[in-house]
Amino acid sequence: MKRILAVVAGLLLLVAAYLLFWPVAVDPVAWQAPKDAGYIDPYASNNLLRPATAIDLGEFEGPEDAALGTDGLIYATTKNGAILQIRNRAVTEFARVEGRALGIETDRDGSFVIANAYVGLQRISSDGSVTTLLDAVEGGPLVYANSLAIAPDGMIYFSQSSNKFGPGEFGGTYDASLLDILEHGGHGSVFAFDPQTRDVARIMSGLNYANGVAVSDAGDFLVVAETGHYRVLKHWLNGERRGETEILLDNLPGFPDNVKNGQNGRFWIGFAAPRNAIIDKWSDKPALRRMIQRLPAAVRPKAEPLSHVIAINGDGDVLMNMHDPSARFPTITGVVETRDALYLTTLFGNMLPRLAKGDIGR
């Protein structure tokens, strides 16, 4: 009996030593997460997304972002690098890139600019050919390009989600995002890139997983999702407040992902997942968050199913709040709005949900 107890005690000591001292990639920073108010007004749950129907993408998975082309068709990025062209519900491969294309926007000449998490900024011409626009910033590689916006003057604004946790080194975009959010080390930035002069400048820094970026129709401010801090920021590009950043939405009930321009000056924001109570509770306890990373991957906090999007104006007023409590299409990253429909981009799966505007509220 004593021998068994000694063995058990030894095993417990080994487990304790592992949880306390095993080296991990994250070095968590103490912060105080705001108290989660949950899904109350103006984010209260409803059924407005329930009528959405799926466009089957077949072998292609993870339509994380999409854009409306100058030809009136939808173009979507996918996990394996394929850029899809969607005509009604027919899906064809338009182009392919190496790496993981995340953000995509349509430029004035009809070409597309994408944020490739492994490569940087790339341009796709009307014939599907791919060229690299930018793969380095500030003397080093562009580690994790995520989202972008093209201003009326042609300037490209883009987010580098993290300059520490890149998908190439840390198991892909999803795993790298979990590490950056768990650490909360302020490794995210937003840059301005002039494709004519090739000048690039950092305009926002210290963000906790910089994510979606959109520019106002007038080109005077950016709207930026800071996913790891549950908030959306407004950064002034012109006018008396040029260079200033303000909080547009704070203490959100989930992790904001893409920010996309909609019609009539509105901005659409998708929520990839609800907040995690353990991460919030231990936000000021770096040692405990480090222990989380030492747990088996299967029991670590991860994105829970959620179908939730909102639309806001430039002042941060919530114009639309749309849910599907059944989360038939989980991890919705954003919305592409056309004249007659909303296309809901998603992080996982091979479906691109489409919601006809005439079906909203039915």
Side-chain angles (χ1 to χ4, degrees), residues 25-193:
V26 295
D27 186 17
V29 174
W31 70 294
Q32 188 61 60
K35 184 178 180 180
D36 184 4
Y39 289 95
I40 61 174
D41 188 61
Y43 310 112
S45 183
N46 56 51
N47 297 313
L48 293 179
L49 291 180
R50 184 162 289 175
T53 58
I55 297 174
D56 189 343
L57 304 182
E59 64 182 290
F60 304 105
E61 297 184 357
E64 205 274 351
D65 195 15
L68 179 66
T70 55
D71 55 6
L73 304 181
I74 296 295
Y75 292 80
T77 60
T78 62
K79 183 178 180 180
N80 71 349
I83 311 300
L84 305 182
Q85 181 191 77
I86 301 169
R87 185 188 301 270
N88 295 323
R89 292 180 176 271
V91 178
T92 58
E93 183 176 322
F94 169 69
R96 184 176 287 267
V97 299
E98 297 295 328
R100 190 2 169 162
L102 293 174
I104 181 171
E105 292 294 334
T106 306
D107 210 345
R108 294 172 295 179
D109 62 358
S111 66
F112 300 94
V113 179
I114 65 168
N116 188 322
Y118 289 77
V119 178
L121 298 183
Q122 295 176 298
R123 185 181 299 279
I124 303 177
S125 66
S126 58
D127 64 0
S129 59
V130 181
T131 57
T132 297
L133 292 175
L134 184 71
D135 59 7
V137 293
E138 300 176 331
L142 211 175
V143 176
Y144 192 161
N146 190 323
S147 179
L148 73 141
I150 304 175
D153 62 1
M155 187 73 74
I156 299 173
Y157 298 94
F158 68 93
S159 59
Q160 177 173 250
S161 289
S162 177
N163 62 10
K164 178 177 180 179
F165 299 105
E169 184 179 356
F170 293 97
T173 55
Y174 178 65
D175 289 339
S177 70
L178 294 180
L179 291 171
D180 191 85
I181 291 170
L182 182 66
E183 178 163 304
H184 206 84
H187 304 302
S189 303
V190 174
F191 291 87
F193 171 62

Side-chain angles (χ1 to χ4, degrees), residues 8-351:
V8 170
L11 289 174
L12 290 176
L13 284 174
L14 286 175
V15 170
Y18 171 79
L19 291 175
L20 289 171
F21 302 114
W22 189 262
V24 289
V26 295
D27 186 17
V29 174
W31 70 294
Q32 188 61 60
K35 184 178 180 180
D36 184 4
Y39 289 95
I40 61 174
D41 188 61
Y43 310 112
S45 183
N46 56 51
N47 297 313
L48 293 179
L49 291 180
R50 184 162 289 175
T53 58
I55 297 174
D56 189 343
L57 304 182
E59 64 182 290
F60 304 105
E61 297 184 357
E64 205 274 351
D65 195 15
L68 179 66
T70 55
D71 55 6
L73 304 181
I74 296 295
Y75 292 80
T77 60
T78 62
K79 183 178 180 180
N80 71 349
I83 311 300
L84 305 182
Q85 181 191 77
I86 301 169
R87 185 188 301 270
N88 295 323
R89 292 180 176 271
V91 178
T92 58
E93 183 176 322
F94 169 69
R96 184 176 287 267
V97 299
E98 297 295 328
R100 190 2 169 162
L102 293 174
I104 181 171
E105 292 294 334
T106 306
D107 210 345
R108 294 172 295 179
D109 62 358
S111 66
F112 300 94
V113 179
I114 65 168
N116 188 322
Y118 289 77
V119 178
L121 298 183
Q122 295 176 298
R123 185 181 299 279
I124 303 177
S125 66
S126 58
D127 64 0
S129 59
V130 181
T131 57
T132 297
L133 292 175
L134 184 71
D135 59 7
V137 293
E138 300 176 331
L142 211 175
V143 176
Y144 192 161
N146 190 323
S147 179
L148 73 141
I150 304 175
D153 62 1
M155 187 73 74
I156 299 173
Y157 298 94
F158 68 93
S159 59
Q160 177 173 250
S161 289
S162 177
N163 62 10
K164 178 177 180 179
F165 299 105
E169 184 179 356
F170 293 97
T173 55
Y174 178 65
D175 289 339
S177 70
L178 294 180
L179 291 171
D180 191 85
I181 291 170
L182 182 66
E183 178 163 304
H184 206 84
H187 304 302
S189 303
V190 174
F191 291 87
F193 171 62
D194 186 333
Q196 299 301 318
T197 65
R198 304 196 60 79
D199 292 335
V200 59
R202 187 200 304 242
I203 61 171
M204 299 176 70
S205 60
L207 304 183
N208 287 288
Y209 199 78
N211 206 328
V213 178
V215 63
S216 66
D217 290 343
D220 56 343
F221 64 86
L222 298 179
V223 177
V224 178
E226 188 180 11
T227 301
H229 218 93
Y230 316 128
R231 65 186 184 183
V232 175
L233 306 174
K234 181 177 184 178
H235 181 83
W236 291 93
L237 300 171
N238 297 310
E240 295 181 355
R241 300 189 61 187
R242 179 178 180 179
E244 293 183 17
T245 301
E246 63 182 91
I247 298 173
L248 203 57
L249 296 173
D250 202 8
N251 195 19
L252 291 166
F255 291 96
D257 202 305
N258 293 342
V259 183
K260 299 290 285 188
N261 293 86
Q263 297 186 339
N264 302 315
R266 56 181 163 256
F267 302 92
W268 286 96
I269 302 168
F271 291 89
R275 287 166 60 166
N276 183 279
I278 294 176
I279 297 299
D280 279 0
K281 183 177 181 179
W282 291 357
S283 62
D284 61 345
K285 299 176 176 61
L288 293 180
R289 299 207 325 269
R290 191 177 294 110
M291 287 174 61
I292 287 177
Q293 190 57 33
R294 296 186 178 111
L295 296 172
V299 298
R300 291 181 212 146
K302 53 185 176 294
E304 298 296 331
L306 178 71
S307 296
H308 182 205
V309 301
I310 61 173
I312 65 172
N313 61 20
D315 295 321
D317 301 315
V318 178
L319 307 176
M320 290 289 292
N321 169 58
M322 308 173 71
H323 292 256
D324 179 358
S326 65
R328 291 178 303 127
F329 307 113
T331 59
I332 292 179
T333 54
V335 176
V336 176
E337 181 180 8
T338 67
R339 182 177 57 84
D340 57 359
L342 304 178
Y343 293 84
L344 311 175
T345 53
T346 63
L347 192 60
F348 302 116
N350 65 339
M351 301 292 178

